[in-house]
């Protein structure tokens, strides 16, 4: 069986003025469908950069990046946007909810890019919010919710279009222990019950322990998997 | 569907910083009101000039100024809607001593003419003396001074249009009510001239050069003129009715410069608010860099984000513009009553409202341009890293 994500010789170099800043130096990585991978490493090692490439919001400098067999680096701007809308759910460290929209509207947002009717959208949103335990907070705005609640709204938004892949960049980085546990429990369920492939960036070992597989980055280079599951 | 969504989001974003939105709205509204008022000042000035001091119309033969009209037209003109009073006058065209001593003379309807020219100030006694003497004349102060005419003097005139040797007796000397009033008129009785020429020039009897029409509502000048002319359409002599331009040419040149300055200020005000609004939108868009990047990550296209910015900018500018247009009417009324003597009419013209709307649109679009372009340029990953 071929892996959902196939990465070969992937490099990324940023430019700061005329100065090239190499961040990823030839990454090779495969992630199977349904896997739950944590990307670990010190700050500045390139974790977010790698995650952004996988999520299709940044372009590699060289190498190949196939997701579900699609070379996403070759897609045009609009094709890539459509691909993301259909295939990727995003969870950010600072939630990134729209402050002017309530919880319901925030979760509904990605569905505006689909052909679903208003009634169908409502149904989907209600199910997703119930799943993250916020059915009673639908008309609350982000500033009326705690950090943990906001992140759960964000998770509902990430799963609303039923994407294959969920990417999470330090999803518990801004949360207290209890809220972090809630979020991690939710990610467990997304992976275990719904079969979502999850790639999560974290530098917290406790957090990483929840994943099925841990991958270490060090100065743009991938170290061997931390454990022998694979 | 997305368009409706864009507008709803724009509305919500506007409510985000109520103070900033309120100030921006007020700024746009004030600019639009000022623009409208200044334009109305200019319009009204020209409209007032068109109307002349008393809002009189002149009805003459449509074919040519030198052709006359039957005096019987007076009744029909009087019945036209909006007409308050009618009088008439004919060029007399007599020669005083010789052709070097030129001044114009008018044969007027003595009983009504002076009523339509209240700016010719004449004492009641002199006025009565003029009415009672069929050979009487009323002379402007400047003309009287030039030729030394005094009350009781006989002025001989040699007829040109109306043949014969005529003589008139000065019964009144009028003063102008203001600087703009013509003090060089020489008015005689049309009745007397008419009676006399019934024998000598029967073809010109019972005919007049022009009717002067006083209307109730100066703003209705165009409608009343049209009504008068249409009532004589297909008559033997068709008419042309126009406003009397009691405006002195030398004055126009000076006023034109002032009006040009006012026009310029009107546009400068719009330019200033364009700059202010562009700054406001740039600030708002910069604050939302991370939100825009998030939307793009979720799969919304660059165009959607651009529309969000444009939608917000236009909502703001059009709301401010609408407020400004609505406020222009009470502002114009207040301005008019504060400057009662200056403008005969002071009305916001439809074209002004259209220009106000266009200005609001321009303010909205121009303010959105730079943020729209920069939102396209910002990479998603950079936008997500933006601190707010
Ligand atoms: N858009 C960018 N432009 C320039 N340098 C960048 C950019 N994004 C990341 N970097 C640099 O790349 C390196 C890795 O960043 P990142 O992937 O965010 O690290 P991590 O998530 O592991 O902390 C850092 O040195 C960072 O400064
Ligand atoms: Mg990072």
């Amino acid at each position: 069986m071929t892996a959902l994500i196939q990465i070969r010789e992937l490099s990324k170099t940023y430019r700061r003025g005329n100065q090239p800043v190499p961040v990823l130096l030839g990454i090779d990585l495969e992630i199977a469908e349904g896997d739950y991978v944590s990307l670990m490493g010190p700050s500045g090692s390139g974790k977010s950069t790698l995650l952004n490439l996988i999520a299709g919001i940044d372009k590699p400098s060289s190498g190949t990046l196939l997701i579900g067999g699609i070379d996403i680096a070759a897609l045009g701007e609009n094709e890539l946007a459509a691909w993301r809308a259909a295939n990727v759910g995003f969870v950010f460290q600072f939630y990134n909810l729209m402050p002017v929209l309530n919880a319901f509207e925030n979760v509904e947002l990605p569905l505006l890019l689909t052909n679903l009717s208003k009634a169908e959208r409502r149904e989907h949103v209600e199910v997703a919010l119930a799943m993250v335990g916020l059915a009673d907070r639908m008309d609350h705005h982000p500033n009326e919710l705690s950090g943990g609640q906001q992140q759960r709204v964000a998770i509902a938004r990430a799963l609303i279009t039923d994407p294959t892949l969920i990417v999470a960049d330090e999803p518990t980085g801004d949360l207290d222990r209890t809220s972090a546990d809630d979020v991690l429990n939710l990610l467990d369920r997304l992976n275990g019950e719904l079969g979502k492939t999850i790639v999560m960036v974290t530098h917290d070992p406790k957090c990483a322990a929840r994943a099925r597989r841990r991958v270490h980055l060090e100065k743009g280079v991938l170290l061997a998997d931390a454990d022998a599951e694979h | 569907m997305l368009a409706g969504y864009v507008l709803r989001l724009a509305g919500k974003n506007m409510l985000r910083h109520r103070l900033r939105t309120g100030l921006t709205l007020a700024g746009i509204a004030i600019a639009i009101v000022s623009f409208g008022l200044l334009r109305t000042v200019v319009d009204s000035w020209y409209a007032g000039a068109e109307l002349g001091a008393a809002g009189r119309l002149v009805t003459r033969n449509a074919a040519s100024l030198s052709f006359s009209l039957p005096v019987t037209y007076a009744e029909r003109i009087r019945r036209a809607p909006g007409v308050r009073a009618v009088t008439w006058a004919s060029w007399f065209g007599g020669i005083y001593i010789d052709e070097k001593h030129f001044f114009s003379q008018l044969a007027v309807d003595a009983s009504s003419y002076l009523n339509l020219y209240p700016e010719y100030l004449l004492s009641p006694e002199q006025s009565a003396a003029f009415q009672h003497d069929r050979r009487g004349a009323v002379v402007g102060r400047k003309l009287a001074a030039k030729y030394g005419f005094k009350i009781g003097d006989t002025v001989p005139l040699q007829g040109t249009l109306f043949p014969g040797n005529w003589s008139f007796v000065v019964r009144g000397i009028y003063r102008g009510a203001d600087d703009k009033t013509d003090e060089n008129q020489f008015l005689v009785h049309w009745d007397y001239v008419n009676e006399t020429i019934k024998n000598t020039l029967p073809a010109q009897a019972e005919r007049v050069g022009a009717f002067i029409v006083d209307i109730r509502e100066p703003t209705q000048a165009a409608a009343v003129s049209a009504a008068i002319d249409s009532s004589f359409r297909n008559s033997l002599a068709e008419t042309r009715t126009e406003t009397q331009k009691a405006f002195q040419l030398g004055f126009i040149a000076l006023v034109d410069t002032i009006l040009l300055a006012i026009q310029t200020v009107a546009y400068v005000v719009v330019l200033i608010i364009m700059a202010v609004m562009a700054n406001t939108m740039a600030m708002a868009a910069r604050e939302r860099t991370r939100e825009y990047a998030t939307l793009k990550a979720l799969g919304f296209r660059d165009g959607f984000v651009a529309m969000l910015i444009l939608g917000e900018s236009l909502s703001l500018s059009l709301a401010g513009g609408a407020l400004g247009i609505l406020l222009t009417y009470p502002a114009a009324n207040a301005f008019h009553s504060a400057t009662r003597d200056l403008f005969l009419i002071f009305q916001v013209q439809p074209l002004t409202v259209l220009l106000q709307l266009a200005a609001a649109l321009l303010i909205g679009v121009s303010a959105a341009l730079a943020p729209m372009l920069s939102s396209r340029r910002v990479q998603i990953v950079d936008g997500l890293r933006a601190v707010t």
Side-chain angles (χ1 to χ4, degrees), chain A residues 84-107:
Chain A
R84 285 195 303 271
N87 296 286
V88 187
F90 286 87
V91 180
F92 303 96
Q93 179 176 357
F94 299 106
Y95 336 124
N96 288 14
L97 300 175
M98 300 294 128
V100 293
L101 301 180
N102 62 27
F104 181 95
E105 293 163 330
N106 265 290
V107 176

Side-chain angles (χ1 to χ4, degrees), chain B residues 52-355:
Chain B
R56 288 180 293 244
L57 304 179
V58 175
T59 300
R60 50 129 169 138
N61 193 306
S64 162
L65 254 177
S66 56
F67 291 175
S68 57
L69 292 169
V71 70
T72 52
Y73 276 22
E75 253 330 291
R76 224 190 301 175
I77 293 173
R78 204 189 319 276
R79 286 198 305 269
V83 170
R84 179 156 53 200
V86 181
T87 189
W88 59 85
S90 296
W91 281 99
F92 182 76
I95 295 170
Y96 176 60
I97 307 174
D98 61 40
E99 280 161 18
K100 285 201 293 280
H101 297 85
F102 173 80
F103 59 87
S104 81
Q105 306 101 32
L106 289 177
V108 304
D109 181 52
S111 59
S112 60
Y113 192 85
L114 289 172
N115 292 336
L116 266 81
Y117 285 84
E119 66 266 38
Y120 293 176
L121 303 179
L122 192 62
S123 73
E125 298 77 40
Q126 292 188 5
S127 177
F130 170 61
Q131 307 286 347
H132 288 127
D133 183 356
R134 277 159 48 83
R135 286 173 56 228
V138 168
V139 184
R141 187 176 58 173
K142 278 197 188 133
L143 184 67
K146 184 171 176 189
Y147 292 107
F149 297 149
K150 285 182 288 295
I151 302 286
D153 284 0
T154 296
V155 179
L157 291 175
Q158 195 197 330
T160 55
L161 301 172
F162 307 116
N165 290 315
W166 304 77
S167 67
F168 299 96
V169 182
V170 177
R171 294 298 179 196
I173 293 175
Y174 73 85
R175 268 187 314 111
D178 55 43
D179 301 348
K180 279 173 267 173
T181 307
D182 184 358
E183 291 184 332
N184 289 303
Q185 292 290 347
F186 190 94
L187 309 176
V188 301
H189 285 248
W190 177 87
D191 280 343
Y192 169 56
V193 175
N194 189 50
E195 285 302 318
T196 311
I197 63 172
K198 272 180 183 162
N199 301 319
T200 57
L201 192 66
Q204 279 304 314
E206 304 298 330
R207 296 187 75 85
V208 303
F211 294 96
I212 294 97
V213 184
D214 191 17
I215 59 179
R216 288 200 189 87
E217 191 48 66
T219 57
Q220 298 303 309
V224 177
S225 301
I228 292 172
D229 291 345
S230 75
S231 75
F232 293 105
R233 188 138 310 134
N234 302 321
S235 303
L236 217 52
E238 297 197 350
T239 60
R240 177 182 303 170
T241 304
E242 293 165 323
T243 55
Q244 193 179 46
K245 296 181 185 177
F247 206 57
Q248 285 161 11
L249 282 170
F251 197 47
I252 289 180
L254 172 66
V255 168
D256 268 354
T257 314
I258 296 168
L259 293 184
L260 182 67
I262 294 177
Q263 294 259 39
T264 309
V265 170
Y267 287 101
V268 166
V269 166
V270 171
L271 275 180
I272 291 172
I273 204 68
M274 269 169 75
V276 170
M277 175 73 180
N279 182 51
T280 304
M281 276 314 296
M283 259 166 68
R286 206 175 309 122
E287 279 169 13
R288 289 171 205 157
T289 304
R290 199 143 67 92
E291 286 170 43
Y292 296 151
T294 304
L295 285 171
K296 288 194 204 174
L298 295 182
F300 288 91
R301 293 179 175 198
D302 286 355
F304 177 82
V305 171
M307 284 305 124
L308 269 188
I309 296 170
L310 183 64
E312 187 173 347
S313 188
L314 277 180
S315 303
L316 206 56
S317 70
L318 289 180
L323 189 65
I325 288 171
L326 287 181
L327 289 176
T328 303
Y329 291 93
N333 285 339
F335 190 86
H336 190 199
S337 28
T339 58
R340 188 55 80 188
D341 310 335
L342 207 56
F343 299 98
L344 204 60
I345 52 162
F346 196 76
Q347 254 180 4
V348 184
Q349 297 300 310
L351 178 65
T352 297
V353 176
L354 218 64
L355 284 172

Side-chain angles (χ1 to χ4, degrees), chain A residues 52 57-58 77-78 81 84-85 90 92 94 96 98-101 105 109 112-113 121 157, chain B residues 1-2 5 8-9 12-13 16 290-291 294-302 380-381 384:
Chain A
N52 291 341
I57 55 174
D58 203 358
E77 194 97 39
N78 289 336
R84 285 195 303 271
F90 286 87
F92 303 96
F94 299 106
N96 288 14
M98 300 294 128
V100 293
L101 301 180
E105 293 163 330
L109 207 46
L112 295 175
L113 294 169
R121 294 204 302 268
R157 180 179 68 185
Chain B
M1 185 185 71
L2 277 183
Y5 200 79
R8 271 184 44 228
L9 259 185
K12 291 181 179 195
N13 271 334
R16 206 144 146 192
R290 199 143 67 92
E291 286 170 43
T294 304
L295 285 171
K296 288 194 204 174
L298 295 182
F300 288 91
R301 293 179 175 198
D302 286 355
I380 297 176
V381 287
L384 287 174

